[in-house]
């Protein structure tokens, strides 16, 4: 098909939106970046002793599994190409699955709060026993849960990956450029300029430096997918596609507010105002919000709500729905044997920040 | 919409929804989604403790800021589930109009609510409607591809208010698959295509699919000549593959044998040159012959220096990547059978191609029968001709063995002496399917493979999912319709249950989705069509 070398039309962008802004493994997207992580993993792996485990503990949706699968496919790890990772839930249920994993290094993914704590602990314990018995090694991928010794403590000899490049604007640009090239430009290395499709300010908004370690590709790409799917904002025509900050704001503003209960809506409105006044453009939110700080805001709205109720009915739901990003290490209750989920500190999500910034 | 319970009681959707009790519409939807998810979880044999419930809520309600206490309240309010001794359980004492509602009835009802189109009132007419809707949907997708200036159908489709295409790259299997599929709709088109504009549209659809199927063929002189590329279906492929070639051969032969009827329906508006199709089919068969392993089986591809004396792929061969597999071996048998029945060899007087195809069929069949796996019900086929049933997921076994069992028609006609054997294989499989379905029906199975890059197979593993109901159901019904195998009451029950599940899965737009996704998928739609058509034929025979 004959296509302009540079101009991307709305029609083309709409057609390829799931592929360009993919955040799961439904589409084969090109790998980009993470050179430091790769170098460190290679080094850790080369020096890994029998029974030891490399821990990759980063937030959900940041590309950990993609990185390891990429390294397996490029033969940077001594894991047979195309081997499917095991998950703690399965290992917990049947430790014999470990025997079927080929090679000396076992890859375990999804060691995160998406797995019930009991099953996660069981799975990790079975893995630890197996490593002790066989002298094999492992790479365990999960979220900040793995920082919790109650969860991952069974793995006695752990080495933790330190380098995991944050999603800054250069990283995002590189990822997007590769994807545009693959899905819309026939893989040809043209003079394609990302700025001709996405307003530079939008890229900056999506990658604030204060959010470096809390940001996720999932968050960014789900927002961009939603924008391109908005038929009012992006018309199906042959005009040049151009995504802007204002468009995202318009989309978020026209989103129905039906997804929140009244107390949640009131709190969000108050929080937006608070962010705008105290942390314009997010400046200064370096450590995120504590529960105490947020509860103080709630007290200004309604002093009858207790802190437990506030955490259960407002904070947790906002964290699950993505308006707040929980960056704390999930706790583990020894009484209930369950996670204490989505703990503080919290950061405002990209959506919340964009809305707060326009007040 | 009425839902029939196990004891024959009929309740309608409205009275069912009222039982959910929530007054707010948004809450009603959340409550419903939670009940569906909990039913699926419990039905899959998972224990739903309080933390699993929290994860289920997080995974299910992604667009609403729902607190866990509220989620619990909504579920408890419905009365269908209660929390007791650390687990969520179905309330077996739940009654509707004084009648106890068993979990199985509740499951049928709640899972059946997912799409408006399907109801449990699935008489023959509604099955026919379901089948026709799938053809209409396919036509719509092809028209969209024509309007978008694509050179075929893409691999991915999107379902919104109306469906649309994802991406701008063409899939080398979706395009011929659509051609084959629409060739099966002849009698429906005869009935519905009346106006000149309808005839022109249909002709444009067939012309487009034919032209772009042919465009996937490798015309370079040499080893790959005549094979068909999978293109976007397997982006890493740098050679034609067995699956893409078989599907294309079947599509071209299907079109060739239906051409007169289709031209009659469209007033000869389809642009199709016989000589081009004939030449393409012959070249395709020559490619297939080159791809056959000395032992008779097929894998996704065979490199020129791979086998027997080649050493390029020794390591991959040791790892089992380059070995023959059940899916490629069986699909070739079907493709050779369709080629023989197309009339092409007679038209061009290349009668020796009957022998060539028959030889491929004979050797492939022998390879299949030499590589069965023993299970308590008899002999079946495991993925990549494995031997130990316990090493495989039952969904994978069902689709693997089901696919092999659907390829026996050409063998049935070619080798009469093998008929008792074929009847035994298909009966064994029917019994196996029935037994697995007793534990849990509606499994999803996968076919995993790698595609041929320039010199080695891809690093990327392709993982194609299918509904075992469709694949196994068709295989068993075909055996009943064509080979006359006897089916037990239990096996009929399995077929009926599978048919209900398949109907439930159809989207109001007419398509079926790729398993575990909301993406319309042509291959799954075709599989559902085949199963439902075979079901209707069986009912007439019955």
């Amino acid at each position: 098909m004959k296509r302009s070398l540079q101009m991307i039309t709305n029609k083309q962008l709409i057609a390829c939106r799931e592929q360009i802004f993919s955040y799961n493994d439904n589409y084969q997207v090109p790998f980009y970046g993470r050179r430091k992580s790769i170098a460190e993993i290679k080094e850790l792996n080369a020096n890994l002793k029998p029974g030891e485990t490399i821990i990759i503990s980063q937030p959900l949706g940041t590309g950990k599994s993609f990185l390891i699968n990429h390294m397996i496919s490029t033969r940077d790890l001594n894991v047979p190409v195309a081997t499917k990772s095991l998950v703690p839930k399965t290992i917990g249920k049947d430790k014999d699955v470990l025997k079927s994993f080929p090679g000396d290094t076992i890859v375990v993914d999804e060691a995160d709060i998406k797995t019930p704590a009991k099953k996660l602990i069981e799975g990790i314990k079975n893995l630890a026993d197996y490593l002790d018995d066989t002298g094999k090694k492992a790479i365990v991928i999960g979220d900040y849960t793995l920082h919790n010794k109650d969860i991952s403590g069974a793995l006695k000899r752990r080495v933790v990956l330190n380098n995991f490049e944050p999603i800054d604007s250069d990283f995002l640009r590189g990822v997007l450029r590769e994807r545009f090239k693959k899905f819309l430009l026939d893989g040809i290395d043209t003079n394609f300029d990302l700025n001709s499709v996405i307003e530079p300010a939008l890229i900056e908004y999506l990658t604030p430096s204060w959010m470096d370690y809390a940001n996720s590709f999932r968050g960014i790409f789900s927002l961009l997918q939603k924008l391109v799917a908005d038929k009012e904002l992006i018309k199906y025509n042959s005009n040049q596609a151009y995504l802007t900050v204002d468009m995202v704001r318009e989309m978020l503003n026209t989103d129905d507010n039906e997804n929140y209960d009244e107390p949640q809506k009131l709190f969000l409105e108050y929080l937006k105002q608070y962010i705008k006044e105290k942390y314009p453009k997010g400046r200064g939110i370096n450590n995120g919000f504590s529960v105490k700080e947020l509860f103080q805001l709630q007290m200004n709205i309604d002093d009858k709500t207790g802190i437990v109720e506030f955490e259960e009915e407002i904070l947790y739901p906002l964290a699950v729905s993505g308006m707040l990003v929980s960056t704390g290490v999930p706790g583990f209750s020894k009484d209930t044997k369950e996670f204490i989920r989505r703990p503080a500190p919290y950061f405002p999500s990209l959506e919340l920040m964009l809305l707060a910034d326009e007040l | 919409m009425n839902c029939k319970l196990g004891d024959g009681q009929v309740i309608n959707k409205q009275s069912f929804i009222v039982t959910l009790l929530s007054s707010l519409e948004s809450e009603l939807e959340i409550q419903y989604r939670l009940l569906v998810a909990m039913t699926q979880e419990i039905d899959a044999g998972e224990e739903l403790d309080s933390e699993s419930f929290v994860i289920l809520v997080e995974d299910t309600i992604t667009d609403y800021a729902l607190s866990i206490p509220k989620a619990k309240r909504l579920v408890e309010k419905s009365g269908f589930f209660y929390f007791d001794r650390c687990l969520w359980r179905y309330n077996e004492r739940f009654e509707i109009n004084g009648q106890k509602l068993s979990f199985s009835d509740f499951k049928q009802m709640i899972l059946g609510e997912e799409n408006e189109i399907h109801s449990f009132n699935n008489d023959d007419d509604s099955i026919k409607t379901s089948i026709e809707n799938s053809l209409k949907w396919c036509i719509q997708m092809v028209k969209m591809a024509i309007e978008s200036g694509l050179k075929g159908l893409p691999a991915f489709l999107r379902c919104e208010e109306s469906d649309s295409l994802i991406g701008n790259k063409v899939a080398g299997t979706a395009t011929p698959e659509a051609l084959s599929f629409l060739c099966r709709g002849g009698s429906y088109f005869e009935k519905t295509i009346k106006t000149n504009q309808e005839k022109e549209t249909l002709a444009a659809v067939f012309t487009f699919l034919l032209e772009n199927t042919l465009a996937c063929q490798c015309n370079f002189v040499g080893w790959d000549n005549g094979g068909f590329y999978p293109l976007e279906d397997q982006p890493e492929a740098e050679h034609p593959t067995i699956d893409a070639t078989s599907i294309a051969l079947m599509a071209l032969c299907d079109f060739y044998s239906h051409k007169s009827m289709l031209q009659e329906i469209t007033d000869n508006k389809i642009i199709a040159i016989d000589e081009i199709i004939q030449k393409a089919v012959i070249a395709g068969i020559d490619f297939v012959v080159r791809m056959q392993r000395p032992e008779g089986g097929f894998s996704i591809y065979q490199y020129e220096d791979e086998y027997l004396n080649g050493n390029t792929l020794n390591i991959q061969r040791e790892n089992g990547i380059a070995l023959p597999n059940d899916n490629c071996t069986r699909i070739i048998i079907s493709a050779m059978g369709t080629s023989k029945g197309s009339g092409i060899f007679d038209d061009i007087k290349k009668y020796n191609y009957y022998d060539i195809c028959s030889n491929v069929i004979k050797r492939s069949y022998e390879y299949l029968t030499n590589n069965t796996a023993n299970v308590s019900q008899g002999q079946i086929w495991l993925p990549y001709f494995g031997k130990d049933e316990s090493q495989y997921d039952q969904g994978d076994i069902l689709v693997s063995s089901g696919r092999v069992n659907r390829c026996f028609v050409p063998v049935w006609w070619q080798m009469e002496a093998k008929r008792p054997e074929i009847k035994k294989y298909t009966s064994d499989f029917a019994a196996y399917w029935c037994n697995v379905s007793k534990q849990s029906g509606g499994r999803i199975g996968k076919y995993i493979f790698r595609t041929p890059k320039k010199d080695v197979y891809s690093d990327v593993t392709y993982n194609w999912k299918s509904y075992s109901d469709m694949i196994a159901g068709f295989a068993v019904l075909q055996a009943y319709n064509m080979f006359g195998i006897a089916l037990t009451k239990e096996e009929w029950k399995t077929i009926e249950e599978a048919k209900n599940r398949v109907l439930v899965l159809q989207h109001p737009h007419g398509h079926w989705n790729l398993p575990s996704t909301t993406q319309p998928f042509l291959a799954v739609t075709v599989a559902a069509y085949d199963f439902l058509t075979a079901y209707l034929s069986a009912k007439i025979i019955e």
Side-chain angles (χ1 to χ4, degrees):
Chain A
M1 189 186 310
K2 201 173 175 186
R3 246 178 256 119
S4 156
L5 284 183
Q6 288 206 29
M7 191 177 104
I8 307 287
T9 66
N10 282 333
K11 266 186 186 178
Q12 289 175 321
L13 192 58
I14 289 168
C16 298
R17 68 170 190 257
E18 288 95 339
Q19 294 169 317
I20 290 173
F21 305 127
S22 167
Y23 51 89
N24 51 33
D25 59 2
N26 285 352
Y27 305 97
Q28 270 187 49
V29 295
F31 185 83
Y32 175 83
R34 292 257 145 86
R35 289 198 185 138
K36 281 186 189 167
S37 309
I38 291 174
E40 191 189 338
I41 294 172
K42 274 191 196 171
E43 197 188 324
L44 292 176
N45 191 44
N47 298 317
L48 207 61
K49 295 186 182 68
E52 285 188 340
T53 306
I54 300 175
I55 301 277
I56 303 177
S57 168
Q58 294 293 334
L60 298 170
T62 47
K64 305 176 290 292
S65 308
F66 190 25
L67 166 67
I68 291 300
N69 288 333
H70 168 74
M71 289 185 73
I72 292 173
S73 74
T74 51
R75 296 173 176 81
D76 283 326
L77 294 173
N78 42 341
V79 176
V81 169
T83 304
K84 202 168 172 274
S85 308
L86 296 174
V87 296
K89 205 173 166 180
T90 319
I91 304 170
K93 220 185 262 178
D94 173 18
K95 59 183 172 195
D96 285 347
V97 295
L98 288 160
K99 290 181 193 159
S100 62
F101 198 92
D104 281 339
T105 309
I106 292 159
V107 181
V108 177
D109 201 351
E110 296 177 27
D112 54 41
I113 52 162
K114 292 281 182 194
T115 307
K118 268 181 270 178
K119 291 181 180 164
L120 187 49
I121 292 169
E122 259 168 34
I124 288 183
K125 186 172 177 316
N126 283 349
L127 172 67
D129 291 346
Y130 184 72
L131 298 182
D132 283 347
D133 292 348
T134 60
K136 289 195 176 188
K137 308 160 198 175
I139 297 173
V140 177
I141 307 163
D143 63 1
Y144 289 148
T145 303
L146 288 172
H147 289 320
N148 189 326
K149 295 246 165 61
D150 291 327
I151 302 292
S152 58
L155 294 164
K156 291 173 210 91
R157 286 168 287 167
R158 287 167 294 184
V159 284
V160 178
L161 176 73
N162 291 314
N163 283 300
F164 196 73
E165 291 87 339
I167 304 171
D168 60 18
S169 60
D170 283 347
F171 192 1
L172 181 61
R173 280 174 186 282
V175 168
L176 284 170
R177 217 177 284 124
E178 288 302 309
R179 292 182 178 202
F180 272 101
K181 208 166 87 184
K182 168 163 179 171
F183 294 113
L184 278 171
L185 302 166
D186 284 338
I188 302 161
D189 201 357
T190 61
N191 309 322
F192 171 66
D193 179 9
L194 188 67
N195 292 342
S196 67
V197 193
I198 303 182
E199 182 186 24
L202 179 55
I203 297 278
E204 297 305 318
Y205 256 108
L206 296 172
T207 52
S209 58
W210 52 268
M211 208 184 174
D212 267 359
Y213 291 94
N215 210 349
S216 69
F217 284 115
R218 189 173 296 171
I220 294 170
F221 289 150
S222 59
L223 190 70
L224 290 174
Q225 264 199 38
K226 201 168 148 193
L227 173 64
V228 179
D230 190 319
K231 290 187 176 119
E232 291 303 311
L233 290 165
I234 314 285
K235 307 275 186 211
Y236 188 76
N237 57 31
S238 300
N239 295 349
Q240 178 155 7
Y242 194 59
L243 310 180
T244 65
V245 175
D246 286 343
M247 283 175 169
V248 179
R249 280 212 188 97
E250 203 179 327
M251 172 185 77
L252 295 173
N253 277 322
T254 49
D255 250 11
D256 54 33
N257 248 353
E258 294 308 309
N259 299 341
Y260 302 100
D261 289 344
E262 259 332 290
Q264 293 168 345
K265 278 185 211 169
L266 287 173
F267 178 76
L268 272 177
E269 283 311 309
Y270 201 88
L271 182 59
K272 278 184 219 166
Q273 194 66 43
Y274 178 71
I275 292 170
K276 183 176 170 61
E277 283 167 16
K278 198 163 175 200
Y279 305 107
K281 293 200 186 300
R283 283 185 213 108
I285 321 185
N286 297 330
N287 298 320
F289 303 124
S290 66
V291 174
K292 200 175 156 196
E293 185 179 1
L294 295 174
F295 185 60
Q296 282 301 325
L297 302 183
Q298 176 64 22
M299 294 290 278
N300 294 334
I301 304 167
D302 163 23
D303 59 6
K304 291 187 189 71
T305 311
I307 190 158
V308 175
E309 190 187 345
F310 171 67
E311 285 190 89
E312 279 188 352
E313 300 286 351
I314 295 178
L315 274 193
Y316 169 84
L318 291 181
V320 175
S321 69
M323 263 299 171
L324 289 173
V325 181
S326 153
T327 61
V329 175
F332 174 68
S333 159
K334 287 188 176 157
D335 296 336
T336 61
K337 302 252 185 297
E338 288 179 11
F339 278 127
I340 298 159
R341 310 173 75 79
R342 318 266 175 184
Y346 298 104
F347 284 83
S349 65
L350 295 170
E351 288 96 320
L352 182 57
M353 207 55 233
L354 278 159
L355 287 169
D357 215 37
E358 63 150 4
L359 288 174
Chain B
M1 176 199 298
N2 290 328
C3 306
K4 195 172 179 187
L5 306 184
D7 58 4
Q9 185 197 1
V10 174
I11 64 165
N12 65 28
K13 181 183 169 185
Q14 245 179 351
S15 68
F16 170 65
I17 294 294
V18 168
T19 62
L20 301 180
L21 297 173
S22 273
S23 51
L24 288 172
E25 205 171 313
S26 59
E27 287 193 349
L28 193 72
E29 198 196 322
I30 292 168
Q31 200 174 29
Y32 168 67
R33 280 156 60 186
L34 289 174
L35 293 177
V36 168
M38 290 175 78
T39 306
Q40 286 169 334
E41 198 77 357
I42 290 173
D43 187 46
E46 294 290 335
E47 283 195 339
L48 207 53
D49 60 15
S50 57
E51 195 171 20
S52 304
F53 176 77
V54 172
I55 293 169
L56 177 141
V57 174
E58 287 189 4
D59 287 344
T60 309
I61 312 297
T62 51
D63 49 357
Y64 187 89
L66 181 65
S67 73
I68 298 303
K70 185 172 175 181
K72 281 181 185 160
R73 281 198 301 274
L74 286 172
V75 171
E76 281 168 347
K77 208 162 140 188
S78 76
F80 290 115
F81 293 94
Y82 64 103
F83 192 71
D84 177 46
R85 284 170 285 144
C86 304
L87 288 180
W88 281 96
R89 298 165 200 277
Y90 176 70
N91 179 10
E92 294 285 351
R93 284 178 297 182
F94 191 91
E95 290 186 359
I96 291 181
N97 301 337
Q99 296 281 324
K100 283 212 171 84
L101 187 67
S102 70
F103 180 68
S104 136
D105 284 337
F106 174 69
K107 186 184 88 177
Q108 188 190 35
M109 204 161 60
I110 187 96
L111 299 183
E113 293 289 326
E114 219 165 64
N115 293 320
E116 281 301 320
I117 195 169
H118 53 69
S119 70
F120 288 95
N121 176 25
N122 50 27
D123 51 27
D124 291 358
D125 283 343
S126 62
I127 296 174
K128 278 179 198 154
T129 308
S130 168
I131 287 170
E132 289 175 1
N133 285 340
S134 63
L135 288 166
K136 278 188 217 164
W137 169 79
C138 183
I139 296 265
Q140 200 52 36
M141 290 301 98
V142 180
K143 275 164 67 180
M144 215 173 278
I146 296 172
E147 283 158 18
S148 307
L150 291 179
K151 299 289 179 198
L153 281 177
F156 301 104
L157 306 165
R158 131 183 352 121
C159 180
E160 292 171 327
E161 278 165 40
S162 58
D163 296 345
S164 51
L165 315 174
I166 294 180
N168 55 16
K169 294 186 177 166
V170 171
T173 51
T175 309
E177 216 148 36
L179 178 58
S180 254
F181 182 40
L182 294 181
C183 285
R184 291 170 219 180
S187 56
Y188 166 68
F189 297 138
E190 263 179 338
K191 197 173 69 186
T192 54
I193 302 294
K194 301 285 177 216
T195 68
N196 202 34
Q197 197 187 342
E198 285 166 346
K199 288 174 184 178
E200 274 177 10
T201 303
L202 189 66
V205 162
F206 274 103
T207 303
F208 172 84
L209 290 173
L210 179 64
E211 187 183 311
N212 289 305
T213 295
L214 289 163
C216 296
Q217 190 165 35
C218 172
N219 294 318
F220 299 119
V221 175
W223 185 251
D224 286 349
N225 181 268
F228 288 75
Y229 293 104
L231 305 180
E232 192 60 6
D233 271 322
Q234 298 161 39
E236 295 208 322
E238 293 179 56
H239 294 280
T241 60
I242 280 298
D243 56 346
T245 303
S246 305
I247 293 169
L249 281 177
M250 286 192 276
L252 294 175
C253 292
D254 277 340
F255 176 78
Y256 196 87
S257 49
H258 287 88
K259 201 185 64 184
S260 309
M261 179 176 65
L262 293 169
Q263 288 291 31
E264 203 174 308
I265 295 169
T266 59
D267 289 347
N268 288 311
K269 290 180 198 297
I270 303 172
I271 301 165
I273 300 168
D274 284 353
E275 290 73 20
I276 294 177
I277 301 173
Q278 293 157 353
K279 210 176 138 204
V281 169
I282 294 296
I285 293 169
D286 290 343
F287 171 80
V288 167
V289 171
R290 284 196 295 280
M291 292 293 112
Q292 191 161 28
R293 310 263 163 171
E295 297 93 336
F298 283 84
S299 69
I300 190 88
Y301 180 70
Q302 182 179 317
Y303 291 91
E304 194 166 3
D305 60 352
E306 171 182 349
Y307 212 88
L308 282 166
N309 300 318
N311 56 13
T312 314
L313 298 166
N314 277 347
I315 296 168
Q316 290 199 327
R317 237 185 21 236
E318 280 162 21
N319 289 343
I321 297 168
L323 292 175
N325 72 53
D326 43 297
N327 187 49
C328 290
T329 309
R330 66 91 197 177
I331 201 170
I332 281 296
I333 295 183
S334 298
M336 294 298 98
T338 314
S339 302
K340 279 167 70 179
S342 66
I344 289 178
F345 308 152
D346 288 340
D347 289 352
I348 55 175
K349 298 188 172 47
K350 288 205 169 184
Y351 305 112
N352 60 323
Y353 272 83
Y354 281 112
D355 292 337
I356 291 171
C357 292
S358 295
N359 190 37
V360 172
I361 290 172
K362 182 172 174 286
R363 290 175 55 215
S364 303
Y365 178 74
E366 278 168 7
Y367 191 83
L368 285 175
T369 54
N370 287 334
N371 287 282
T372 57
N374 292 317
V375 293
S376 51
Q377 291 78 16
Q379 287 166 292
I380 61 166
W381 284 269
L382 303 181
Y384 283 80
F385 299 114
K387 292 290 171 200
D388 180 1
E389 180 197 3
S390 69
Q391 297 295 311
Y392 297 87
D393 175 87
Q394 284 180 316
D396 297 354
I397 298 177
L398 284 178
V399 296
S400 169
S401 208
R403 285 196 174 110
V404 172
N405 273 281
R406 67 185 289 164
C407 83
F408 292 148
V409 176
V411 185
W412 180 266
W413 296 119
Q414 184 179 310
M415 296 187 270
E416 277 188 40
K418 300 289 180 190
R419 289 183 178 184
E421 190 176 86
I422 290 172
K423 285 176 91 162
K424 186 190 172 301
Y425 286 136
T426 47
S427 298
D428 288 354
F429 176 66
Y432 180 82
W433 179 40
C434 179
N435 188 50
V436 170
S437 298
K438 264 187 227 159
Q439 299 154 40
S440 175
R443 285 165 193 266
I444 291 166
K446 53 193 181 305
Y447 161 52
I448 297 174
F449 65 97
R450 273 176 252 184
T451 199
K453 289 173 70 169
K454 188 167 179 289
D455 300 316
V456 288
Y457 291 98
S458 63
D459 294 336
V460 169
T461 306
Y462 293 86
N463 179 341
W464 284 358
K465 289 181 182 161
S466 331
Y467 288 107
S468 63
D469 279 338
M470 298 173 186
I471 308 289
F474 174 79
V476 171
L477 285 169
Q478 177 184 262
Y480 172 79
N481 292 337
M482 288 205 61
F483 313 146
I485 65 164
L487 295 174
T488 65
K489 255 188 185 172
E490 282 290 306
E491 286 160 358
W492 276 117
K493 191 170 162 242
T494 305
I495 291 170
E496 285 294 332
E497 286 169 355
K499 176 217 43 175
N500 288 344
R501 283 191 294 266
V502 168
L503 286 170
V504 159
L505 288 169
Q506 189 177 28
H507 189 275
H509 291 162
H511 58 78
W512 276 263
N513 293 339
L514 188 65
S516 318
T517 74
T518 52
Q519 279 190 322
F521 210 72
L522 185 63
V524 180
T525 303
V526 176
Y529 174 98
D530 286 344
F531 170 50
L532 293 174
T533 312
Y535 176 83
L536 287 180
S537 306
K539 282 192 76 176
I540 294 163
I541 294 168
E542 197 184 9

